[in-house]
């Protein structure tokens, strides 16, 4: 179970503590605001909460084209490349984002650029970043077919988030193409389609395991936003509903337990 788009320390603490109180497990929390937009103290708080509750913490590498000075990303066509890195200098800054976070204890990153994945994969292989660093591909990379999935796996991806509106047969074909976990949206914000696929959650597990069910972001205003207390409560409610549907419609499915020591 993955809680996506959790962009404040307060929201992380609420989600993890309340999930325990309500009796379900959050295995992973993903932050999408951008590492360079958090203070070092906030980054360390993310790490500490992940360790306390045994949840994997993945943080989003920036800067991205949407923060850059170019006008292309502001056009309807250019919006498609909004999360890619523009120029070598932005790649260097993204690598510094990772180094800063690694020093703070972060061991999981969300990547939006294939070139950055390639470089980080090589740095990990040569011991220049920790061997236990997890590299997750964002839905913003536009993954939608098995051949692309294989390329990303070969470059070093440890989990893949396909685009949010794929059919069950397409998701099944992705599972046949790679061995690493898939991260599949059960629901998402209106800005990326607003899909609510709660009844399909058991099918996602049947056809795509090992799989992370990304659920709760339908309560948010959009990606890279910070949740209000009301929206955080909405996330918890949707996660609880997804957990209930899994128990009702696929009771034999086994969810991974929370990690005893946590991985951040």
């Amino acid at each position: 179970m993955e809680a996506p788009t959790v962009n404040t320390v307060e929201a992380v603490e609420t989600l993890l503590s309340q999930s325990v109180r309500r009796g379900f497990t959050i295995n992973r929390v993903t932050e999408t605001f951008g590492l360079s937009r958090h203070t070092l103290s906030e980054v360390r708080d993310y790490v500490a909460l992940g360790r306390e509750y045994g949840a994997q913490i993945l943080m989003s590498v920036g800067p991205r084209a949407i923060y850059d000075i170019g006008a292309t990303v502001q056009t309807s066509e250019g919006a498609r490349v909004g999360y890619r890195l523009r120029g070598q200098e932005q790649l260097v800054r993204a690598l510094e984002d990772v180094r800063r976070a690694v020093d703070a204890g972060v061991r999981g990153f969300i990547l939006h650029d294939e070139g950055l994945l390639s470089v980080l994969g090589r740095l990990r292989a040569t011991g220049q970043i920790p061997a236990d660093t997890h590299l997750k591909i964002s839905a913003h990379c536009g993954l939608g077919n098995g051949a692309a999935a294989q390329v990303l796996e070969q470059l070093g991806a440890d989990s893949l988030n396909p685009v949010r509106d794929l059919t069950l047969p397409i998701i099944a074909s992705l599972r046949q193409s790679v061995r690493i976990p898939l991260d599949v949206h059960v629901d998402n914000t209106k800005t990326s389609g607003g899909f609510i696929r709660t009844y399909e959650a058991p099918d996602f597990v049947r056809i795509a395991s090992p799989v992370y069910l990304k659920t709760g972001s339908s309560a948010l205003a959009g990606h890279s936003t910070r949740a209000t207390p009301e929206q955080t409560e909405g996330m918890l409610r949707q996660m609880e509903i997804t957990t209930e549907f899994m128990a009702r419609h696929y009771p034999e499915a086994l969810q991974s337990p929370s990690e005893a020591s946590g991985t951040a």
Side-chain angles (χ1 to χ4, degrees), residues 18-76:
Q18 287 297 309
S19 67
V20 172
R21 186 181 71 80
R22 299 183 188 199
F24 65 91
T25 297
I26 297 175
N27 301 97
R28 174 192 280 176
V29 174
T30 54
E31 175 278 337
T32 60
F33 197 53
L35 270 164
S36 58
R37 303 178 75 183
H38 290 288
T39 67
L40 200 55
S41 176
E42 289 172 330
V43 174
R44 288 171 175 151
D45 286 342
Y46 269 85
V47 172
L49 286 165
R51 288 175 176 159
E52 179 180 354
Y53 289 96
Q56 184 182 38
I57 302 294
L58 299 181
M59 304 198 74
S60 183
V61 179
R64 312 163 194 160
I66 53 176
Y67 307 150
D68 210 338
I69 59 174
T72 298
V73 72
Q74 300 176 34
T75 68
S76 58

Side-chain angles (χ1 to χ4, degrees), residues 234-260:
M235 291 185 71
L236 277 165
R237 184 172 179 273
Q238 179 59 41
M239 297 186 80
E240 192 168 4
I241 291 170
T242 300
T243 302
E244 176 195 332
F245 272 55
M246 284 299 306
R248 181 179 179 87
H249 297 287
Y250 195 8
E252 61 269 36
L254 297 177
Q255 182 182 2
S256 300
S258 61
E259 299 177 5

Side-chain angles (χ1 to χ4, degrees), residues 90-104:
Q90 290 295 60
L91 177 61
V92 170
R93 291 167 179 169
L95 293 172
E96 175 55 27
D97 231 16
V98 171
R99 291 191 178 98
R100 173 176 177 259
V102 164
D103 289 344

Side-chain angles (χ1 to χ4, degrees), residues 206-218:
R206 287 189 183 97
I207 67 174
S209 290
V211 63
Y212 283 88
L213 298 179
K214 297 170 64 74
T215 180
S217 60
S218 55

